Coordinates of all heavy atoms in Angstrom, one line a residue:
Q453 N -2.9 17.8 1.5 CA -1.7 17.9 2.3 C -1.1 16.6 2.6 O 0.2 16.4 2.5 CB -1.9 18.7 3.6 CG -2.3 20.1 3.4 CD -1.1 21.0 3.0 OE1 0.0 20.6 3.1 NE2 -1.4 22.2 2.5
L454 N -1.9 15.6 2.9 CA -1.4 14.3 3.2 C -0.9 13.6 2.0 O 0.2 12.9 2.0 CB -2.5 13.5 3.9 CG -2.8 14.0 5.3 CD1 -3.9 13.2 5.9 CD2 -1.6 14.0 6.2
K455 N -1.5 13.8 0.9 CA -1.0 13.2 -0.4 C 0.3 13.8 -0.7 O 1.2 13.1 -1.2 CB -2.0 13.3 -1.5 CG -3.2 12.4 -1.4 CD -4.0 12.3 -2.7 CE -4.7 13.6 -3.0 NZ -5.5 13.5 -4.2
D456 N 0.4 15.1 -0.5 CA 1.7 15.8 -0.7 C 2.8 15.2 0.1 O 3.9 14.9 -0.4 CB 1.6 17.3 -0.3 CG 1.4 18.2 -1.5 OD1 1.5 17.6 -2.6 OD2 1.2 19.4 -1.3
I457 N 2.5 15.0 1.4 CA 3.6 14.4 2.2 C 3.9 13.0 1.8 O 5.1 12.6 1.8 CB 3.1 14.4 3.7 CG1 3.1 15.9 4.2 CG2 4.0 13.6 4.6 CD1 4.4 16.6 4.1
K458 N 2.9 12.2 1.5 CA 3.2 10.8 1.1 C 4.1 10.8 -0.1 O 5.0 10.1 -0.3 CB 1.9 10.1 0.8 CG 1.0 9.8 2.0 CD -0.3 9.2 1.6 CE -1.3 9.1 2.8 NZ -2.5 8.5 2.4
S459 N 3.7 11.7 -1.1 CA 4.4 11.7 -2.4 C 5.8 12.3 -2.2 O 6.8 11.8 -2.7 CB 3.7 12.5 -3.4 OG 4.4 12.6 -4.6
E460 N 5.9 13.4 -1.4 CA 7.2 14.1 -1.3 C 8.2 13.4 -0.5 O 9.4 13.4 -0.7 CB 6.9 15.5 -0.6 CG 6.1 16.4 -1.5 CD 6.9 17.1 -2.6 OE1 8.1 16.7 -2.7 OE2 6.4 17.9 -3.3
M461 N 7.7 12.6 0.5 CA 8.7 12.1 1.5 C 9.1 10.7 1.3 O 9.9 10.1 2.0 CB 8.1 12.3 2.9 CG 7.8 13.7 3.3 SD 7.2 14.0 4.9 CE 8.6 13.7 5.9
I462 N 8.5 10.0 0.3 CA 8.9 8.7 -0.1 C 9.9 8.8 -1.2 O 9.7 9.4 -2.2 CB 7.7 7.8 -0.5 CG1 6.7 7.7 0.6 CG2 8.2 6.4 -1.0 CD1 5.5 6.9 0.3
P463 N 11.1 8.2 -1.0 CA 12.2 8.4 -2.1 C 11.7 7.8 -3.4 O 10.9 6.9 -3.5 CB 13.3 7.5 -1.5 CG 13.1 7.5 -0.1 CD 11.6 7.5 0.1
N464 N 12.2 8.4 -4.5 CA 11.9 8.1 -5.8 C 12.2 6.6 -6.1 O 13.2 6.1 -5.7 CB 12.8 8.9 -6.7 CG 12.5 8.7 -8.2 OD1 11.8 7.8 -8.6 ND2 13.1 9.6 -9.0
D465 N 11.3 5.9 -6.8 CA 11.4 4.5 -7.1 C 12.8 4.2 -7.8 O 13.3 3.1 -7.6 CB 10.3 4.0 -7.9 CG 9.0 3.9 -7.1 OD1 9.1 3.8 -5.9 OD2 7.9 4.0 -7.8
E466 N 13.2 5.1 -8.6 CA 14.4 4.8 -9.4 C 15.7 5.0 -8.6 O 16.8 4.8 -9.1 CB 14.5 5.7 -10.7 CG 13.5 5.2 -11.8 CD 12.1 5.8 -11.6 OE1 11.9 6.6 -10.6 OE2 11.2 5.5 -12.3
S467 N 15.7 5.6 -7.4 CA 16.9 6.0 -6.7 C 17.5 4.8 -6.1 O 16.9 3.8 -5.7 CB 16.6 7.0 -5.7 OG 15.9 6.5 -4.6

Side-chain angles (χ1 to χ4, degrees):
Q453 295 285 345
L454 292 177
K455 285 194 293 183
D456 257 354
I457 288 303
K458 293 176 186 179
S459 176
E460 294 283 1
M461 300 182 72
I462 299 175
N464 183 351
D465 289 335
E466 285 87 1
S467 71

